[in-house]
Amino acid sequence: MQFLVGGAGKSSLMLYSVNALEADKLIYSWLPMQTFSSMSGLQLKASVMAGMLTEMSNCEAYQEEIESLISEIDEISFSQGNEKTLVKFNGLVRKVRAL
């Protein structure tokens, strides 16, 4: 396996990592964190998790489960974050960890 990577910056390291993960047929997510800079609390957590899952949605083995989770988490990312929503989010976190 050969990788041609120029420079020594973060982008080059990320590209190297992505190539290595793809070569090993592993799932990965790459999120630009600037997207989430204006968020906080439950909205931030839900949006990051939905983004992470969206990036992983090309994983055929879990595609249906991932798409279902994205839909549920997206709903939470637009909610007010009351106690009921927090309990639902924590349940979804457990489902994501089980993937």
Side-chain angles (χ1 to χ4, degrees), residues 60-73:
E60 293 177 18
Y62 300 104
Q63 189 169 8
E64 286 183 35
E65 293 167 34
I66 289 172
E67 288 174 0
S68 173
L69 287 167
I70 290 169
S71 177
E72 291 183 72
I73 293 169

Side-chain angles (χ1 to χ4, degrees), residues 4-99:
L4 298 175
V5 180
K10 290 181 280 189
S11 295
S12 297
L13 293 172
M14 291 299 296
L15 181 59
Y16 174 82
S17 297
V18 166
N19 285 332
L21 292 167
E22 286 179 348
D24 291 340
K25 300 203 183 319
L26 297 173
I27 302 168
Y28 65 90
S29 252
W30 184 341
L31 298 177
M33 296 311 292
Q34 303 89 322
T35 303
F36 310 102
S37 64
S38 64
M39 299 178 192
S40 63
L42 187 58
Q43 180 192 27
L44 172 64
K45 293 174 189 176
S47 294
V48 168
M49 188 174 294
M52 177 190 73
L53 288 170
T54 298
E55 287 290 311
M56 295 169 50
S57 63
N58 64 344
C59 172
E60 293 177 18
Y62 300 104
Q63 189 169 8
E64 286 183 35
E65 293 167 34
I66 289 172
E67 288 174 0
S68 173
L69 287 167
I70 290 169
S71 177
E72 291 183 72
I73 293 169
D74 271 344
E75 288 178 28
I76 290 173
S77 69
F78 294 108
S79 71
Q80 296 299 317
N82 59 29
E83 187 65 31
K84 184 178 175 182
T85 306
L86 182 59
V87 169
K88 182 177 180 179
F89 178 73
N90 289 336
L92 293 171
V93 169
R94 284 190 288 280
K95 287 181 181 181
V96 170
R97 286 182 178 161
L99 285 179

